[in-house]
Amino acid sequence: MRAALYMSAGHVVVEDVPDPALSEPTDAVVRVLRAAVCGSDLWSYRGVITRAERSRLGHEFIGIVEEVGSEVRAVRPGDLVVAPFTWSDNTCPACLDGIQSSCERGGTFGAPGADGGQGQAVRVPWADGTLVKVPGGPIGVDESVYAALLSASDVMGTGLHGAVMAGVAEGSTVAVIGDGAVGLCAVLGAKAILGAERIFLMSRHADRAAVGKSFGATDVIAERGEEGVAAVRERTGGLGVRHVIEAVGTPESWAMAVGMARDGGSIGAVGVPHTAPTLPLFQPLVHNLSLNLGIAPVRRYLPDLISRITAGTLDPGPVFDTVLPLENVAQGYAAMASRESIKIMLTTGDL
Amino acid sequence: MRAALYMSAGHVVVEDVPDPALSEPTDAVVRVLRAAVCGSDLWSYRGVITRAERSRLGHEFIGIVEEVGSEVRAVRPGDLVVAPFTWSDNTCPACLDGIQSSCERGGTFGAPGADGGQGQAVRVPWADGTLVKVPGGPIGVDESVYAALLSASDVMGTGLHGAVMAGVAEGSTVAVIGDGAVGLCAVLGAKAILGAERIFLMSRHADRAAVGKSFGATDVIAERGEEGVAAVRERTGGLGVRHVIEAVGTPESWAMAVGMARDGGSIGAVGVPHTAPTLPLFQPLVHNLSLNLGIAPVRRYLPDLISRITAGTLDPGPVFDTVLPLENVAQGYAAMASRESIKIMLTTGDL
């Protein structure tokens, strides 16, 4: 099959690799229909972290189950499925707590030794605990929702996790720091799923702000840093907002999040930079802040996200502003790295 | 009247100072019955922070209302009252959110320009929003509960706030880092008020561990650092605890808190060192931790704490292991600084 390989900073190729095969009775092999390029894929592309030459890339995909191991019960060949970006057994203590990203048998697609999503097929460990079937698919599911389903594999689940951790509820006032795909999905999750009323989106890119507004942002704030904090405080009677979603992960974005949170407020942080920052704790302590951080346990949210998407009540699809064939993945990395594109969706040919 | 004054590091005296008087119609003057020395009073005593020479000391006291301004309604002369360590109007947005420590008109006793608790009388700003009357007192309240009432002015409210922020509930497994008065009160709050079932107390001081056990600690762990983390994990099937109360505030205690928290767990942090540390966010992010920090809004908890104490169902009094007259306050500072004493209670003569 064909799959994307990392060669070196700024250099990604598509080459022939061996077809995946079942190796454990709990595995499935999934033929990829759509895959995505993630902001975190750009770390090695930009050379800020090292990555093995010829390693597989990508951790976001939807596809059709091709083959299942003897112990797999929840999915069958021919099913349309969404894979969260981490696999999980969904039976260990962490999974039972809804923290499938901490599964004791878990791992991440595209990590060393695992297949990546940016290829024509993927071996999925712990298929029963990982894959979620799209009811009626593929025949009863229109291709027009593939983008939305693909977003559920990471960015929609991650943005929603940020909003959930920030305690967003019906009528909430919320600020979202980060106008990448995760930040935009946080806006959508806060609005369409949790019922927020007023949503500040920090953005200075017209294309991203437009998607954010269509997702429910009521105020787009172009200022950054202390000026951004002042702009949000000015619009909230000086008090700040009770719920902040931090979807960047840098010291600067954290300073903004802490600066605009109302005393007693909550920050939901899903921003994963290549190195997590250190945070000065004095301000959070003085202002009684709740800092809730987490690699999203996307698997927890998938069944609900899939039902909303197939019912037509949730459409995060517009975060993908560019569609490319897998063979052109290098062009996709370049477009995301230059911020020409918010997020790339890849189409694949047959295995 | 007599009051404790800070002279220089290691040098505290009691001298004559002017009697306090009403200055605003919302003020009260309270004659102090009992006052306390706090761990945070030791920062300047140890010379790690600077403090003005001859400044007033102390922020924990109970007393009898002597005089009230024309707008004071909730307390009358002769009432027995508990003062939280910060005053608050209890009507501003932060107060209405239960974050009275962030009151827009608030302040701290013993701060520059304010009276300290370690004296014979205190001018209390915003008396209606600050003081909480002890029903039936002073005549119907036995002096034997004064120690417990005094603890409610800071350490009991602060320890409970840590437990509340950590999400402790009926049947919880909890770890408490810090065996000072706040950590011990966190044990008591977790057990007697919130219903925790298993409580690990990190302690290597026999006197403190004994109080901790009498307050409800089920396991006393003498190991520190990584060994302390390993000891707690070993006793929780390797998973760690869902609720950690951080009552020290140093980088080392934070590392322990993060290390022993179960994935998806919560830390309630009330440890206020002389400088708040910076926290590396990578582990909290990977393990989906909720970090809840806060200077305790003690006023929020006072009515409930006072009813439990006067009803005899809560007795944090044993955190005071030494009672001294105000005139001997220097001896008290020395005993706390050397850890000979857990916490000092001061008695006062008449005004």
Side-chain angles (χ1 to χ4, degrees):
Chain A
M1 69 160 183
R2 305 285 287 169
L5 301 179
Y6 177 85
M7 302 305 282
S8 61
H11 190 202
V12 167
V13 298
V14 176
E15 288 193 2
D16 286 327
V17 299
D19 289 343
L22 300 176
S23 102
E24 302 290 335
T26 47
D27 285 352
V29 169
V30 173
R31 179 162 52 89
V32 175
L33 288 175
R34 298 286 186 278
V37 182
C38 185
S40 63
D41 292 331
L42 299 178
W43 303 337
S44 54
Y45 185 80
R46 289 184 169 133
V48 289
I49 61 167
T50 57
R51 190 180 180 101
E53 192 179 334
R54 308 192 66 76
S55 59
R56 300 288 181 84
L57 286 162
H59 52 257
E60 301 159 297
F61 63 99
I62 64 170
I64 305 282
V65 176
E66 186 111 324
E67 201 181 353
V68 296
S70 59
E71 292 176 17
V72 174
R73 297 285 171 273
V75 295
R76 309 305 309 157
D79 285 347
L80 174 63
V81 291
V82 181
F85 66 91
T86 58
W87 67 82
S88 54
D89 63 15
N90 224 14
T91 59
C92 77
C95 285
L96 294 178
D97 281 348
I99 314 291
Q100 288 91 342
S101 46
S102 294
C103 174
E104 61 187 36
R105 299 192 182 96
T108 305
F109 294 107
D115 289 337
Q118 295 161 13
Q120 288 183 304
V122 175
R123 179 180 79 84
V124 175
W126 302 100
D128 278 349
T130 303
L131 298 171
V132 180
K133 181 178 166 173
V134 183
I139 289 164
V141 175
D142 196 277
E143 275 196 29
S144 65
V145 300
Y146 281 5
L149 291 171
L150 177 61
S151 75
S153 72
D154 183 348
V155 290
M156 185 61 224
T158 296
L160 176 59
H161 188 53
V164 167
M165 289 194 300
V168 176
E170 201 68 33
S172 291
T173 295
V174 181
V176 177
I177 299 172
D179 63 356
V182 170
L184 296 173
C185 286
V187 170
L188 185 61
K191 176 71 179 178
I193 299 179
L194 302 172
E197 196 173 296
R198 190 160 185 200
I199 303 175
F200 297 94
L201 173 63
M202 313 308 285
S203 177
R204 50 174 59 187
H205 299 94
D207 55 339
R208 294 160 189 245
V211 176
K213 281 190 170 176
S214 77
F215 280 1
T218 52
D219 301 65
V220 172
I221 309 287
E223 290 89 344
R224 285 187 189 171
E226 285 179 20
E227 289 169 5
V229 169
V232 170
R233 289 206 167 259
E234 197 180 295
R235 286 163 175 79
T236 52
L239 296 171
V241 293
R242 287 191 204 278
H243 312 280
V244 182
I245 302 162
E246 197 293 305
V248 179
T250 61
E252 294 74 22
S253 63
W254 267 100
M256 286 177 71
V258 168
M260 68 177 63
R262 182 171 170 147
D263 287 56
S266 294
I267 297 172
V270 289
V272 185
H274 56 96
T275 51
T278 60
L279 183 73
L281 296 180
F282 186 69
Q283 291 300 324
L285 185 74
V286 167
H287 297 292
N288 263 272
L289 300 186
S290 175
L291 318 176
N292 306 277
L293 302 91
I295 302 284
V298 165
R299 179 62 176 77
R300 187 209 304 179
Y301 301 108
L302 266 187
D304 179 59
L305 290 177
I306 290 172
S307 0
R308 289 173 189 267
I309 289 167
T310 54
T313 59
L314 183 79
D315 182 15
V319 294
F320 294 104
D321 58 350
T322 309
V323 183
L324 292 170
L326 173 62
E327 294 296 328
N328 295 18
V329 69
Q331 186 188 333
Y333 274 78
M336 275 184 68
S338 67
R339 296 190 194 274
E340 271 166 62
S341 171
I342 302 175
K343 194 168 176 71
I344 304 287
M345 179 161 74
L346 301 168
T347 57
T348 53
D350 287 334
L351 186 60
Chain B
M1 71 162 184
R2 306 285 287 170
L5 301 179
Y6 178 85
M7 302 304 282
S8 60
H11 190 200
V12 167
V13 298
V14 176
E15 288 193 3
D16 285 327
V17 299
D19 289 344
L22 300 176
S23 101
E24 302 290 335
T26 47
D27 286 352
V29 170
V30 172
R31 179 161 53 89
V32 174
L33 287 176
R34 298 286 186 278
V37 182
C38 184
S40 62
D41 292 329
L42 299 178
W43 303 336
S44 54
Y45 185 81
R46 287 183 170 134
V48 290
I49 60 167
T50 57
R51 188 180 179 100
E53 193 180 334
R54 308 192 65 78
S55 59
R56 300 289 180 85
L57 286 162
H59 51 258
E60 301 158 297
F61 63 99
I62 64 169
I64 305 283
V65 177
E66 186 110 320
E67 202 181 351
V68 297
S70 59
E71 292 176 18
V72 174
R73 296 285 172 272
V75 295
R76 308 306 307 159
D79 285 347
L80 174 63
V81 292
V82 181
F85 66 92
T86 58
W87 67 82
S88 53
D89 65 13
N90 223 14
T91 58
C92 76
C95 285
L96 294 178
D97 282 348
I99 314 291
Q100 289 91 341
S101 47
S102 294
C103 175
E104 60 186 35
R105 299 192 182 96
T108 304
F109 294 107
D115 289 337
Q118 294 161 15
Q120 287 183 304
V122 175
R123 180 180 78 85
V124 175
W126 302 101
D128 277 350
T130 304
L131 298 171
V132 181
K133 182 179 166 172
V134 182
I139 290 164
V141 175
D142 197 277
E143 274 196 29
S144 64
V145 300
Y146 282 5
L149 291 171
L150 178 61
S151 76
S153 72
D154 183 346
V155 290
M156 185 62 226
T158 297
L160 176 59
H161 188 52
V164 167
M165 289 193 301
V168 175
E170 201 68 34
S172 291
T173 295
V174 181
V176 177
I177 299 172
D179 63 357
V182 170
L184 296 173
C185 286
V187 170
L188 185 60
K191 177 70 180 180
I193 299 179
L194 302 172
E197 196 171 299
R198 191 161 184 199
I199 303 175
F200 297 95
L201 173 64
M202 313 308 284
S203 176
R204 50 175 59 188
H205 298 94
D207 54 340
R208 294 159 189 246
V211 176
K213 281 190 169 175
S214 77
F215 281 1
T218 52
D219 300 64
V220 172
I221 309 287
E223 291 89 343
R224 286 188 188 170
E226 286 179 20
E227 288 169 5
V229 169
V232 170
R233 289 206 168 262
E234 197 181 294
R235 287 164 175 79
T236 52
L239 296 171
V241 293
R242 287 190 205 278
H243 313 279
V244 182
I245 302 163
E246 197 294 304
V248 180
T250 60
E252 294 73 23
S253 63
W254 267 99
M256 285 178 70
V258 167
M260 68 178 62
R262 182 169 169 149
D263 287 54
S266 295
I267 297 172
V270 287
V272 184
H274 56 94
T275 51
T278 60
L279 183 73
L281 295 180
F282 186 70
Q283 291 300 324
L285 185 74
V286 168
H287 297 293
N288 264 272
L289 300 187
S290 174
L291 318 176
N292 306 276
L293 302 92
I295 302 284
V298 165
R299 179 63 177 77
R300 187 208 304 178
Y301 301 107
L302 266 188
D304 179 61
L305 290 177
I306 290 172
S307 8
R308 289 174 190 267
I309 289 167
T310 54
T313 59
L314 183 79
D315 183 14
V319 294
F320 294 104
D321 58 351
T322 309
V323 182
L324 291 170
L326 173 62
E327 294 296 327
N328 295 17
V329 68
Q331 186 188 333
Y333 274 79
M336 275 184 67
S338 67
R339 295 189 195 274
E340 270 164 62
S341 172
I342 302 175
K343 194 167 176 72
I344 304 287
M345 180 161 73
L346 301 169
T347 57
T348 54
D350 287 333
L351 186 62

